[in-house]
Amino acid sequence: MIPAHVPDEPPLIYADSFDVPVLFRNGPADKPRRQWRTAKHKTWEGSGGFPATNGWYAPTTTWREIIKAATEVGRDVTPHLQNQPRYAHGELVARVSPLYAYLGAHSVEPRHPVPGSKGRRLTLNPVYEYGTERSAQNAAAYRLGMTMTEWACRSLLGLGQTEHLELGGPIPALRETFKDPKKSLPDLWGRHETEDRYWLIEAKGGNVGVDTLRKGWAQLAAGSTVLGLYAHRTVLVGAAVRPGDDLFLTIDHNLHPGQPPLTPDGSDADDEDTLGPGNLEDHLGDSDDALIGAARAQMLAYLALRSAPASQLRTVPVPADRASRHRRSGLTTPLEDDDLTLAMRADARGAAPHPDQHSLRAGIRSMGLDDFLTCRIPGTEIHLGMSRKLFAACERLHEEDLVIARRTPGLRAEDQPAAALDLSEAAQEEQRLTQRRIFREQQEEARPRLRPLLRDAYERGATSDWSDLLRRPQEPELDLEGNEGLLEAATPETYLAVSRYDLPPARP
């Protein structure tokens, strides 16, 4: 018989779960020879920081966590979308489609299984293995590397929001040096609040060998030289996968002592001290800078929601208590086994019917539910959404960004001189990069003025109707019935769902 102390409850199994082998070490070395299958892995404790010892681990994640990382990492293209928000859908498709196109899953029986592992790992599918040309493979490797790096740093290791280093690094006085086009620098930077230091991050993906990793380590060394006197950690993530093998990560890292990080311009140091690991959304009530960061991180999703046809919008009920979705492991809380959400949704469905959407929304709010606006991103089976409070903050930030965009020299295509069309592709890219840098610098200069504006919008959003926020006469439909074909997840202020029938296919 099972011992009496073992609780009689069903196992916690998510339909889209995968194990991702991860090797932590102090610097690039030879590519492990199938150790991701044969090594004795340690159990991942979800510490929100680096593990106490290097070696192999096998954390479990969901496809939803990976897709969330894909939608939020990389170059900020929103300066170019101020007047054409519908094109945000296209950028979101570009970020997730390579993952759906080329990744599959297979069952694995490791030699030393970790308790709680799912026995299912990601791999490349036969389309990639047999039919994909090299240029497409290279593009997919870039997206895979960026996505899995974001997932590792944020979902596993508790890093805050990442930013692309091409716009300048974390120290304003050093931005011109970080922007030197002659330097080969890493991809991303972020600030880890628990460690109280900056992170410089380089991402590599595909059939990652030791030569590729050494190039990445050299890029990090160049960035570390620039950051110099400030305490930071360099992190090199290799998302390695070959046909027939498991997707696994190598994370090479190094600590550099120095001065503590600077607070954002004009902020209160006490305000910044309230931040914790991982998700800015956990701290929106405490920090105006966290609110600005969260709004910027969700600008693509906001533009997609704002520009979606009314027929594609709906709202879904989630508990109004944000604490129920604070970071525990990973950034998102799966909703299909969240007892609070399931119970409150059942109560809402069982309540007396309401004659109109306004009364229905008032009824669920009196029960402690909120409703997040969502839409399916055309060309994908992904649904993104957010709360009315964050939507209102994004709307205010978008208005301010639009003013900046209109006065940024050359950011609008119609302001480009005719001679610019004759420039080489590299010269045109350098020109566009310069424009985005000017835009970001003006955003940072506006930060002290933005803090009270976004705070006011965020608080007013709590009592606003969706019709007012969307500036449309009709409220989007409130979906109490749900969709059994969707696997849902939420953070304190955002929503993400994927089709359970469109997950990475299992290899035959």
Side-chain angles (χ1 to χ4, degrees):
M1 293 178 62
I2 297 175
H5 70 272
V6 176
D8 182 19
E9 57 187 15
L12 192 63
I13 298 175
Y14 298 129
D16 63 341
S17 291
F18 310 93
D19 306 318
V20 182
V22 182
L23 172 62
F24 290 89
R25 55 191 185 180
N26 291 330
D30 290 338
K31 185 174 182 178
R33 294 186 177 275
R34 295 187 66 80
Q35 292 176 11
W36 55 90
R37 189 74 63 83
T38 61
K40 187 172 183 179
H41 292 64
K42 303 181 183 72
T43 301
W44 182 256
E45 301 294 344
S47 60
F50 263 82
T53 58
N54 286 334
W56 282 100
Y57 294 81
T60 297
T61 191
T62 65
W63 186 241
R64 284 163 278 185
E65 282 280 314
I66 292 172
I67 292 301
K68 183 169 181 63
T71 62
E72 295 182 5
V73 68
R75 170 180 288 175
D76 180 12
V77 302
T78 58
H80 302 288
L81 304 178
Q82 300 300 316
N83 292 319
Q84 290 84 18
R86 284 186 177 87
Y87 285 94
H89 297 96
E91 175 65 19
L92 288 165
V93 171
R95 294 184 178 196
V96 302
S97 58
L99 307 179
Y100 275 95
Y102 299 128
L103 287 181
H106 60 182
S107 297
V108 172
E109 293 186 14
R111 187 174 299 175
H112 306 283
V114 174
S117 64
K118 305 302 178 185
R120 194 165 181 254
R121 295 181 183 174
L122 293 170
T123 186
L124 294 171
N125 65 26
V127 175
Y128 182 99
E129 184 173 356
Y130 297 109
T132 306
E133 61 178 333
R134 180 172 295 181
S135 57
Q137 290 178 350
N138 291 338
Y142 167 78
R143 183 50 57 189
L144 178 66
M146 292 291 281
T147 297
M148 297 310 296
T149 296
E150 179 84 351
W151 169 79
C153 289
R154 299 200 63 216
S155 293
L156 284 189
L157 302 175
L159 184 67
Q161 195 69 45
T162 62
E163 296 188 38
H164 211 287
L165 199 62
E166 69 176 10
L167 299 182
I171 309 297
L174 301 177
R175 281 182 182 156
E176 290 305 316
T177 309
F178 271 115
K179 289 185 279 188
D180 186 349
K182 297 178 183 178
K183 291 182 179 293
S184 181
L185 297 171
D187 293 313
L188 304 167
W189 73 271
R191 177 174 171 178
H192 200 291
E193 301 297 337
T194 301
E195 286 195 348
D196 195 28
R197 57 171 53 93
Y198 300 116
W199 282 19
L200 296 178
I201 309 154
E202 174 61 19
K204 300 295 182 186
N207 187 10
V208 182
V210 67
D211 289 341
T212 300
L213 292 177
R214 284 172 178 161
K215 290 177 183 177
W217 201 246
Q219 290 171 256
L220 286 166
S224 182
T225 299
V226 175
L227 201 50
L229 298 176
Y230 293 89
H232 61 280
R233 184 189 286 272
T234 50
V235 181
L236 172 62
V237 181
V241 63
R242 294 185 302 179
D245 280 340
D246 311 337
L247 169 66
F248 72 95
L249 304 187
T250 55
I251 300 183
D252 302 307
H253 58 101
N254 195 14
L255 279 176
H256 304 266
Q259 300 176 20
L262 302 178
T263 56
D265 182 43
S267 67
D268 185 343
D270 291 337
D271 177 62
E272 292 301 305
D273 287 343
T274 65
L275 298 184
N279 197 356
L280 291 174
E281 295 170 38
D282 293 345
H283 311 285
L284 299 192
D286 307 318
S287 169
D288 293 340
D289 287 304
L291 179 55
I292 292 173
R296 284 192 178 143
Q298 297 303 321
M299 192 56 68
L300 264 182
Y302 161 77
L303 294 174
L305 290 166
R306 177 176 178 265
S307 61
S311 61
Q312 295 179 8
L313 294 173
R314 68 188 184 109
T315 63
V316 295
V318 295
D321 178 14
R322 266 66 177 164
S324 68
R325 297 185 298 280
H326 280 183
R327 177 188 177 97
R328 292 183 294 276
S329 62
L331 296 178
T332 63
T333 299
L335 297 184
E336 68 271 16
D337 288 320
D338 184 67
D339 292 340
L340 177 63
T341 299
L342 295 176
M344 296 184 79
R345 285 180 173 182
D347 289 344
R349 287 192 297 270
H354 296 279
D356 55 64
Q357 288 284 313
H358 181 78
S359 299
L360 182 58
R361 281 190 168 80
I364 70 163
R365 295 179 93 171
S366 68
M367 300 170 65
L369 284 166
D370 196 358
D371 59 322
F372 281 21
L373 182 71
T374 76
C375 76
R376 182 179 68 81
I377 304 304
T380 76
E381 290 301 321
I382 296 166
H383 298 246
L384 296 180
M386 65 179 66
S387 71
R388 50 170 54 83
K389 294 174 73 174
L390 184 56
F391 188 96
C394 287
E395 179 181 42
R396 191 70 179 93
L397 183 61
H398 175 67
E399 292 171 355
E400 295 298 320
D401 283 351
L402 186 58
V403 173
I404 294 174
R406 286 171 176 162
R407 67 169 185 253
T408 298
L411 188 64
R412 300 187 307 170
E414 57 264 36
D415 294 336
Q416 292 290 331
L421 299 176
D422 297 326
L423 295 175
S424 68
E425 188 173 313
Q428 290 186 45
E429 172 62 15
E430 183 63 29
Q431 196 173 70
R432 288 190 291 267
L433 179 57
T434 299
Q435 293 153 8
R436 289 197 300 274
R437 286 169 176 168
I438 294 172
F439 183 84
R440 172 49 62 89
E441 287 168 359
Q442 292 188 72
Q443 284 182 317
E444 287 304 305
E445 290 174 4
R447 181 181 288 268
R449 183 175 57 83
L450 289 177
R451 289 189 182 101
L453 296 178
L454 264 65
R455 176 60 57 188
D456 178 66
Y458 179 76
E459 299 300 338
R460 284 190 294 104
T463 55
S464 299
D465 291 332
W466 278 116
S467 57
D468 294 332
L469 292 172
L470 292 166
R471 301 173 188 175
R472 298 175 181 178
Q474 281 187 313
E475 289 275 290
E477 179 184 357
L478 173 59
D479 183 3
L480 287 179
E481 296 304 319
N483 183 342
E484 291 186 357
L486 291 181
L487 290 166
E488 301 174 283
T491 68
E493 304 291 343
T494 70
Y495 173 91
L496 182 147
V498 300
S499 169
R500 68 170 75 231
Y501 309 117
D502 200 32
L503 297 175
R507 290 178 61 94

